[in-house]
Amino acid sequence: MVNRILIRIKVLQIVYAYYQNGNGNLQSAENDLQFSLKKSYELYLSFLLLLIEVTHLQSQIIETKKEKYIPTQEELNPNMRFVNNRVIAQLAADKGFWQLIKENGISWDNDEDFVKRVLELILSSDLYAEYLEAEEDSYEHDLQFWAKAFKQLICDNEMIEEHLEDKSIFWNDDVEIIESFVLKTIKRFKETQPATSALQPMFKGEEDRTFAIKLLRQTFLKKEEYRELIGRYLTNWEADRIAHIDMVILQIALAEIFAFPTIHTSISMNEYIEIAKYYSSPKKVPFINAILEAIIRDAKRDHKLLKE
């Protein structure tokens, strides 16, 4: 689940914060990076658990209404399609999923009002009404409901994002990318397979875990070398005025370009240009792009960079 896009962003955040604070402790930075990546995985699992929690809450509400002194016919015979959703039932019955929840200490127990607001968001939607009224009643239909509900109602929802960011400062820049991982997971559920087969591990393989630590180490250990290299391509005016975040983006980009021979320079270039668009400013993107292109061109010419 923790892919290289997220790793690059986390390394940028850690390096920027450490340089701002004047902290050069590499071991401490590595610990913070691994903790931050773990928190991202917790957000992924928290989203999946949230689907179970809103379903469970609706089930409780239905049972409470049945116990009223004089319940209506609708309350006695409610439409149970939402609470009996096969995909959520499959996930809720999966022991492997609950083991991950336990291992990561994830719970919505202290967020009852938030869970209620998310449920109300779903129940008030046209999508929910259409789901209950549809003639089709199948696993695939249940799956499509949650795929659409998550994408249309939960993703990019301001109320949800604000609550998540308040719940953990480590989630401030994670929500959008983690939402995309959750949506992919929902779409991967299969009726004939256990729910855990659709879940993504924290790292796809040891290569990504190694990539994260190595990228951080190279950035820290070769700070002066990379900054001196960057400085050769800056005019006096630019050197005095380059933003700190732009210098950090360039520095991490160079660490990846020079320290990872199997990653094409074009891939690294594109990734850090995209990062610059978000963390710097659109006006700075051509500047960052030009610096990286010039350094790569000259390094290849001088046989200091022997890869495509």
Side-chain angles (χ1 to χ4, degrees):
M1 186 227 70
V2 174
N3 65 9
R4 295 193 177 187
I5 295 173
L6 185 59
I7 289 170
R8 292 179 180 104
I9 292 171
K10 290 296 185 181
V11 170
L12 173 64
Q13 293 169 347
I14 296 291
V15 172
Y16 181 80
Y18 268 62
Y19 287 173
Q20 285 287 85
N21 297 331
N23 188 342
N25 188 313
L26 178 56
Q27 186 58 58
S28 179
E30 288 182 13
N31 292 340
D32 284 348
L33 174 61
Q34 294 189 68
F35 182 77
S36 183
L37 292 170
K38 182 178 182 296
K39 297 301 289 185
S40 296
Y41 192 58
E42 289 177 11
L43 177 58
Y44 167 75
L45 294 173
S46 295
F47 267 126
L48 292 170
L49 180 59
L50 181 61
L51 308 188
I52 294 175
E53 292 295 333
V54 296
T55 303
H56 179 60
L57 177 58
Q58 178 63 355
S59 179
Q60 289 180 317
I61 292 172
I62 287 174
E63 292 305 313
T64 299
K65 288 181 178 180
K66 285 182 180 180
E67 295 172 1
K68 286 171 58 177
Y69 181 66
I70 306 180
T72 66
Q73 282 301 311
E74 184 179 354
E75 290 169 337
L76 286 172
N77 300 284
N79 189 320
M80 300 293 286
R81 178 170 289 186
F82 178 77
V83 298
N84 290 336
N85 183 283
R86 297 168 180 84
V87 175
I88 300 305
Q90 180 185 33
L91 181 62
D94 195 292
K95 293 181 180 179
F97 173 71
W98 289 109
Q99 183 62 33
L100 287 171
I101 295 299
K102 181 179 179 180
E103 289 173 356
N104 288 276
I106 297 167
S107 171
W108 289 106
D109 290 349
N110 296 324
D111 302 89
E112 292 180 1
D113 288 342
F114 171 68
V115 174
K116 184 179 179 180
R117 281 184 290 161
V118 175
L119 175 61
E120 291 171 348
L121 177 70
I122 295 169
L123 299 185
S124 63
S125 68
D126 292 338
L127 182 65
Y128 174 77
E130 293 167 2
Y131 172 59
L132 294 191
E133 295 170 3
E135 291 185 8
E136 183 181 354
D137 185 15
S138 65
Y139 181 92
E140 184 60 29
H141 188 59
D142 287 350
L143 178 67
Q144 288 304 315
F145 167 74
W146 267 115
K148 291 177 181 177
F150 193 84
K151 183 177 181 179
Q152 297 176 20
L153 304 176
I154 295 177
C155 291
D156 299 322
N157 181 280
E158 185 175 351
M159 177 273 292
I160 292 174
E161 290 185 359
E162 286 181 357
H163 184 84
L164 294 174
E165 290 171 2
D166 288 341
K167 191 173 175 68
S168 174
I169 59 172
F170 291 94
W171 293 348
N172 288 359
D173 294 322
D174 288 4
V175 176
E176 184 176 350
I177 191 169
I178 299 301
E179 285 174 340
S180 71
F181 295 147
V182 175
L183 185 57
K184 289 178 183 177
T185 296
I186 293 172
K187 292 179 179 179
R188 288 175 57 189
F189 283 118
K190 302 291 183 184
E191 188 172 13
T192 56
Q193 298 176 7
T196 43
S197 65
L199 302 184
Q200 299 186 36
M202 182 170 171
F203 289 99
K204 288 183 179 180
E206 194 59 32
E207 284 186 4
D208 284 342
R209 190 189 301 272
T210 302
F211 172 79
I213 297 301
K214 185 176 179 180
L215 182 61
L216 181 71
R217 287 177 179 172
Q218 289 296 310
T219 303
F220 264 80
L221 296 176
K222 296 197 173 185
K223 171 186 175 182
E224 299 305 325
E225 177 182 334
Y226 291 143
R227 291 197 169 200
E228 190 276 331
L229 177 59
I230 294 166
R232 295 181 213 163
Y233 293 84
L234 303 176
T235 65
N236 291 335
W237 184 90
E238 291 171 333
D240 292 338
R241 292 166 177 79
I242 184 171
H244 185 55
I245 187 64
D246 295 337
M247 178 61 83
V248 173
I249 291 171
L250 286 166
Q251 186 181 335
I252 300 172
L254 292 179
E256 180 171 325
I257 288 166
F258 285 103
F260 295 88
T262 61
I263 302 178
H264 286 207
T265 55
S266 60
I267 292 176
S268 299
M269 280 275 294
N270 291 337
E271 292 294 344
Y272 289 98
I273 291 303
E274 289 302 313
I275 288 174
K277 290 177 183 177
Y278 184 82
Y279 286 93
S280 182
S281 70
K283 293 181 179 179
K284 294 294 186 67
V285 170
F287 164 74
I288 292 172
N289 186 72
I291 296 295
L292 288 175
E293 281 188 342
I295 292 175
I296 291 170
R297 180 197 64 224
D298 292 350
K300 287 183 177 180
R301 181 199 62 201
D302 298 336
H303 305 290
K304 295 179 180 180
L305 184 62
L306 302 176
K307 68 174 183 176
E308 293 298 322

